[in-house]
Amino acid sequence: MLERYNLSATMVIMGAPSWLMDSTLDPKVEFLSFVKEVVLHFKNSICIDTYQIGNEPNNPTVDNLYFRFVQEPKTYVNYLRHTYNLIKSLDTRKKIINAATTSIIQG
């Protein structure tokens, strides 16, 4: 449908499946493996022109807490760097953006 109207979309890559949270697998390795499959699947698609890595990483959702984005913000930056490098190694044409945060109330 997007191709028909010459539109494109941003794909948000986020979350952790329940099986991962209940395992002893390395979350970063599994996340990057998932990202690789997504990027390879959409590599030749003109509909997806941008990947957004995560969404509101400071929001204390189950996924963000599991990946430790809330407790250690540098962890999100680390995931972002590794994910960016992986995507660019597989598809140099796509744009990659970081996630916006929720509102931050400053005293």
Side-chain angles (χ1 to χ4, degrees):
M1 181 68 107
L2 291 172
E3 291 175 356
R4 181 180 193 185
Y5 295 103
N6 197 28
L7 298 172
S8 61
T10 295
M11 177 176 287
V12 179
I13 302 176
M14 60 178 279
S18 59
W19 62 262
L20 179 58
M21 289 189 238
D22 295 333
S23 77
T24 58
L25 299 171
D26 182 330
K28 186 165 68 175
V29 170
E30 296 304 313
F31 181 76
L32 292 173
S33 177
F34 169 70
V35 170
K36 180 179 180 181
E37 294 303 317
V38 168
V39 172
L40 290 175
H41 182 79
F42 290 102
K43 183 174 182 173
N44 296 317
S45 171
I46 61 171
C47 295
I48 304 297
D49 68 349
T50 304
Y51 292 106
Q52 176 180 310
I53 311 307
N55 185 42
E56 298 180 341
N58 65 321
N59 189 7
T61 64
V62 172
D63 295 338
N64 288 339
L65 292 169
Y66 172 74
F67 284 120
R68 304 206 49 83
F69 296 162
V70 176
Q71 304 92 316
E72 301 169 21
K74 65 182 179 185
T75 304
Y76 172 71
V77 174
N78 189 29
Y79 269 72
L80 183 61
R81 181 177 60 249
H82 288 285
T83 306
Y84 175 92
N85 290 335
L86 174 63
I87 293 172
K88 285 300 184 180
S89 76
L90 300 169
D91 188 348
T92 59
R93 296 171 296 155
K94 301 288 194 273
K95 293 175 270 188
I96 303 163
I97 59 176
N98 63 300
T101 61
T102 59
S103 60
I104 299 172
I105 299 171
Q106 299 179 9

